[in-house]
Amino acid sequence: RRSPEVGVNGSRRRANRPGLVACGALIDTAAMPSDQEDQVSSADQQKINEFSRLNTRLHDIEEDLSFQRKAVEELNDLGDELILVDDDEPVKWAEGECFFEVTKERAESLLEELQEQKQAKLADTEADLDSCKARLQELKTQLYAKFGSNINLEE
């Protein structure tokens, strides 16, 4: 006896495509042996849900990384432009919505501090990306080991 299949958002599955849907992962219950079909345990469902959350987070982190890399590149370009400024010429520095004039040396030190902050944040984000990818791979291995080709965890 099978209960009606309901997706995570509460939508009902079409009758001609049996399977369990959970946060983007599809388990094809029609291809599973009937004794294994009912073995999608709560722990398995939690792993599928975690995979989906991590997959979404992975995409968010990758997007954030691209913005951070661009910001670091822009700061490096700013440093190149700052080299061309005369030593006795004041430099306009923006802090939020305010501009103020500083010496070239002060601008270089402010730029260096800002670059260090951005590099540290970039390194932290890259570490988050690596840990997210590692956990996704663990979950993928576990879920494919249990469900084989009956689950699709690809994008």
Side-chain angles (χ1 to χ4, degrees):
R1 172 170 78 117
R2 292 177 58 182
S3 62
E5 295 168 359
V6 178
V8 175
N9 61 0
S11 62
R12 294 206 180 271
R13 302 260 308 144
R14 290 183 291 172
N16 61 351
R17 296 218 40 216
L20 296 176
V21 174
C23 300
L26 174 65
I27 301 174
D28 187 6
T29 55
M32 295 173 74
S34 61
D35 62 331
Q36 190 181 12
E37 186 175 312
D38 296 329
Q39 293 182 5
V40 179
S41 67
S42 175
D44 295 332
Q45 187 66 49
Q46 287 175 350
K47 287 178 184 177
I48 293 168
N49 293 344
E50 181 182 2
F51 180 88
S52 179
R53 284 191 307 272
L54 285 173
N55 194 34
T56 302
R57 185 167 177 246
L58 177 77
H59 292 295
D60 292 343
I61 291 171
E62 287 173 342
E63 184 179 335
D64 192 30
L65 267 176
S66 69
F67 287 122
Q68 288 180 14
R69 287 183 180 131
K70 185 175 181 183
V72 168
E73 184 179 316
E74 289 173 353
L75 289 176
N76 291 336
D77 291 345
L78 180 61
D80 294 341
E81 291 292 324
L82 199 54
I83 292 172
L84 302 174
V85 175
D86 292 332
D87 289 337
D88 58 344
E89 189 177 330
V91 176
K92 290 190 179 187
W93 187 265
E95 195 71 40
E97 294 183 9
C98 299
F99 288 89
F100 55 96
E101 290 185 354
V102 295
T103 63
K104 181 180 177 182
E105 290 176 9
R106 178 69 178 142
E108 288 172 342
S109 69
L110 288 170
L111 178 62
E112 188 176 311
E113 289 174 21
L114 194 55
Q115 283 176 320
E116 289 173 1
Q117 291 171 0
K118 295 288 184 182
Q119 288 289 354
K121 187 174 180 182
L122 183 66
D124 289 344
T125 305
E126 287 173 341
D128 285 347
L129 180 72
D130 292 340
S131 68
C132 187
K133 282 182 177 180
R135 181 62 182 147
L136 277 170
Q137 189 58 44
E138 286 176 27
L139 288 170
K140 200 181 260 193
T141 303
Q142 293 170 3
L143 291 169
Y144 276 130
K146 172 129 186 188
F147 298 107
S149 62
N150 297 322
I151 188 167
N152 181 12
L153 299 174
E154 303 303 318
E155 305 210 22

